Amino acid sequence: QVQLVESGGGLVQPGGSLRLSCTTSGSIFSISVMGWYRQAPGNERELVASITGGGGTNYADSVKGRFTISRDNAKNTVYLQMNSLKPEDTAVYYCNADIRSTSRSLANMWGQGTQVTVSS
């Protein structure tokens, strides 16, 4: 039973910072790509940032220079450091990962989502 557990969301003022964490657990053999997506009401879910097993990163243009994605392979955890937050960053943020279990089956997994609200 593989699970993704997120934490770190909340309410922050414009210009502030938040750090999101997502820890995977269960019978995991390996994890390749991990990423963060977000979705605001009435909008499609969009990729915010992703990171490969080798450390290669990709960012949406809207967050480049403000957000940083990182991972700790020993802890099977991915982080999203969000600085200089803007009201338009308000959304539900979802953790995503491609996970191979100890049985060698591959699955794309999602976290439950965590609310980030940027407002004065």
Side-chain angles (χ1 to χ4, degrees):
Q1 186 71 36
V2 176
Q3 298 182 88
L4 280 68
V5 180
E6 300 167 301
S7 63
L11 175 65
V12 66
Q13 297 182 56
S17 298
L18 284 174
R19 180 172 176 263
L20 305 183
S21 299
C22 175
T23 299
T24 59
S25 62
S27 301
I28 298 171
F29 179 78
S30 64
I31 303 174
S32 56
V33 179
M34 305 184 78
W36 290 94
Y37 292 73
R38 68 185 182 187
Q39 186 170 22
N43 294 102
E44 297 180 352
R45 187 173 299 187
E46 64 174 348
L47 175 68
V48 177
S50 64
I51 184 167
T52 67
T57 58
N58 180 259
Y59 296 92
D61 288 340
S62 59
V63 307
K64 193 171 298 182
R66 299 187 297 119
F67 291 10
T68 302
I69 189 170
S70 62
R71 63 191 289 169
D72 185 335
N73 291 330
K75 297 180 179 179
N76 290 328
T77 299
V78 63
Y79 305 94
L80 185 67
Q81 179 66 46
M82 304 183 293
N83 298 326
S84 302
L85 283 162
K86 305 175 180 179
E88 50 263 44
D89 294 319
T90 297
V92 177
Y93 285 70
Y94 298 90
C95 178
N96 178 265
D98 287 333
I99 300 174
R100 188 174 296 280
S101 68
T102 53
S103 66
R104 307 302 176 92
S105 63
L106 182 66
N108 183 263
M109 304 291 293
W110 291 92
Q112 78 285 353
T114 183
Q115 178 70 47
V116 172
T117 302
V118 185
S119 178
S120 298

